[in-house]
Amino acid sequence: MDKAVKPLFEQNPLVYPIVASSTFRLKSAEEGHQLSEGQPGYLYSRWSNPTVDSAAESIRQMEGAEGTLLLPSGMAAISTSIICLLKAGDHIVAPQPVYGGTHQALKTTFSKWGLEYTFVDGSSVEEFEKAIKENTKVLLGETPANPTMSILDLEAFGKLGSKRGLLTMVDSTFAGPYIQQPIKYGIDVVIHSCTKYIGGHSDLTAGALSFKSRKIYNQVYHEAKVLGFLALSPFDAFLIHRGMKTLGIRMERHSSNAMAIAEFLQSHPKVLKVHYSGLPSHPHYETAKKQMKHFGGMVSFEVTGGKEGGRKVVEGTKIFTLAVSLGGVESLIEHPATMTHTDTVMSREDKEASRITDNLIRLSVGLEDVDDLKADLESALDRV
C-alpha cells in the first residue's frame, strides 16, 4: 500500500491540519471495497489518518526510509516490531545496557510467549556475532545507549546482519533522526520514541518505526493494522509534525549545551567519570564522530558519595528538573538505578553487566543558558 500523503484541502493550508475524524465519507460502495483491499486513501483512522501520515512522512524523509509507521508510544514501537517480525521459538540478540522497558519486556512478556533472547555488550559487534544461534532472527541495537551513552558501530552492525541474513533493528531515540540515520548504514528497522527529541516539548507520547525496505514495512503495517497498533491520535501526530520543523536547530543547541556540560563535569573534583560520546576520552568517540552529525543532548556521570551522593545531586538542582523521560526543551535529571532501571526492571546482576552504578546520574540537557545550567550543577554537587 502506497501511504504517500494525499492533499485533502482545497485551501492548501500552510500547517497541515488535525483531521480528527474516525471515519471518512465514501463516494460509493465500490470505493469502500477498493480502500478495504489496500488502495491508497482513507477509510478508517485505525488504519490510516491524514494527519498521522503527514507526520510519518516528515520522519520518513529525514530517516531516508522506504516507509515510516507511527505508534502510540516508543514502547509500542519496540513491541510492534518484535510482535510483527518474530514468532515463538525465534531468538533475538539484545544489548546491555538498554532502555528499561525493552529489557523488562524481553525478560517478562516476550519470553512468556516463547521468544528466546540473549543480552550482550551493546557496543560490541563481535559479542553480537558470538551470540547468534540457528534460530536467531533479529539483532537489536541501541545507540547511544540508555543510560551509559555507549555507542554501537552502525556500519559494522549493518554488515553483520547482512552477512548472516538477519534483521537489524536499532533504537536511535537518544540521537534522533537529525543527528543519526541508521538506515544509510544498512539497518533494517529504526525505532524512535517520538515522546523525546522528535516531539521535543514533553507534551506528547508516540513512537515511530522506519524501514529500509518496503517489504518489511508492508509486513509490519498490515499486521499492526489488524492488531490495532496504529491508532495514534491525530492531535499527537500534529505535535510530532510541529516538532520535526524545529528538530535540527534544537538538536544543535542540545548538543552544544551538552558538550559544555560534559566538559564542565569532567573537570569537577566530585565527578568520577563522565559518559558523553563527544568527549575524546569516550571509548567510542571515533565511532560516534563517524556516524553522528552532532553528539546529542544526553550526558551521564558518576559522582562521589555512592548512591547517597547521587540522590543529593538529583534532589539539589533547581533548573534541572527531577523527572524521567528526556529530549524536551527543558533540562531534566534522574537517578537511573532507582528511577528508570530499578530493581523491579532489572536484577543487580543485569545492572552490573550494564554498568549501571548506584552513583550514576543521567542528564537530558535542554536549551537553557548553559552558564545557568553549570551553576545549577555546581550548587547541587556542593551538597555531596
Side-chain angles (χ1 to χ4, degrees), residues 80-353:
T80 297
S81 63
I82 292 173
I83 290 169
C84 295
L85 294 172
L86 293 164
K87 64 181 185 305
D90 287 345
H91 175 250
I92 182 171
V93 185
Q96 281 186 320
V98 69
Y99 169 57
T102 305
H103 187 280
Q104 191 172 26
L106 287 171
K107 296 198 78 169
T108 62
T109 301
F110 293 124
S111 61
K112 181 177 64 177
W113 295 349
L115 183 69
E116 299 178 21
Y117 62 88
T118 300
F119 285 113
V120 299
D121 179 347
S123 64
S124 172
V125 176
E126 293 77 13
E127 291 302 312
F128 275 97
E129 185 162 25
K130 288 178 185 177
I132 293 172
K133 305 195 299 185
E134 287 187 6
N135 61 333
T136 301
K137 294 295 188 296
V138 165
L139 306 177
L140 172 64
E142 183 180 275
T143 186
N146 183 1
T148 65
M149 313 307 153
S150 60
I151 301 295
L152 173 66
D153 187 322
L154 291 171
E155 183 177 13
F157 195 61
K159 287 179 178 178
L160 173 62
S162 179
K163 180 179 74 172
R164 301 299 293 267
L166 302 174
L167 280 173
T168 48
M169 304 195 314
V170 168
D171 188 332
S172 188
T173 295
F174 270 27
Y178 177 76
I179 282 181
Q180 176 175 280
Q181 299 88 35
I183 286 172
K184 73 180 182 183
Y185 296 102
I187 304 304
D188 294 300
V189 183
V190 180
I191 302 163
H192 280 287
S193 171
C194 302
T195 313
K196 294 11 182 225
Y197 286 113
I198 289 175
H201 295 78
S202 303
D203 55 8
L204 69 94
T205 304
L209 293 173
S210 295
F211 303 89
K212 184 180 76 170
S213 81
R214 200 70 185 180
K215 180 181 178 182
I216 302 174
Y217 166 86
N218 284 335
Q219 177 182 342
V220 176
Y221 167 72
H222 288 293
E223 293 194 23
K225 181 180 79 170
V226 169
L227 294 169
F229 293 166
L230 302 178
L232 178 68
S233 162
F235 295 90
D236 288 331
F238 177 85
L239 294 176
I240 290 173
H241 207 180
R242 180 201 65 182
M244 287 295 291
K245 293 178 180 180
T246 61
L247 180 61
I249 195 166
R250 284 189 288 108
M251 293 311 302
E252 291 175 8
R253 178 62 176 263
H254 282 300
S255 298
S256 63
N257 274 3
M259 177 66 82
I261 292 298
E263 291 172 343
F264 160 75
L265 290 170
Q266 193 173 42
S267 64
H268 198 284
K270 294 184 181 178
V271 174
L272 301 174
K273 190 172 185 180
V274 180
H275 305 276
Y276 185 66
S277 62
L279 295 174
S281 59
H282 191 284
H284 311 133
Y285 170 72
E286 292 298 331
T287 301
K289 189 167 65 170
K290 176 184 71 173
Q291 65 194 31
M292 300 173 73
K293 186 174 183 178
H294 301 285
F295 296 106
M298 299 302 298
V299 179
S300 62
F301 64 98
E302 297 170 44
V303 67
T304 58
K307 185 175 183 179
E308 181 63 15
R311 184 192 66 78
K312 286 181 178 180
V313 172
V314 301
E315 292 179 356
T317 58
K318 294 181 179 179
I319 299 176
F320 281 88
T321 299
L322 180 59
V324 298
S325 198
L326 57 110
V329 297
E330 60 284 304
S331 293
L332 304 180
I333 189 169
E334 68 107 2
H335 185 235
T338 59
M339 293 174 64
T340 55
H341 295 71
T342 67
D343 293 340
T344 59
V345 170
M346 55 197 315
S347 67
R348 174 60 57 177
E349 293 74 23
D350 286 330
K351 286 184 185 181
E352 290 177 357

Side-chain angles (χ1 to χ4, degrees), residues 26-67:
L26 301 172
K27 297 175 183 176
S28 65
E30 177 58 25
E31 182 189 21
H33 171 71
Q34 292 174 356
L35 291 170
S36 295
E37 291 295 311
Q39 178 177 298
Y42 298 101
L43 179 72
Y44 186 48
S45 274
R46 180 169 65 78
W47 293 9
S48 59
N49 172 280
T51 309
V52 176
D53 286 354
S54 177
E57 176 65 10
S58 65
I59 296 173
R60 184 200 70 77
Q61 290 183 20
M62 191 172 283
E63 289 283 9
E66 286 296 311

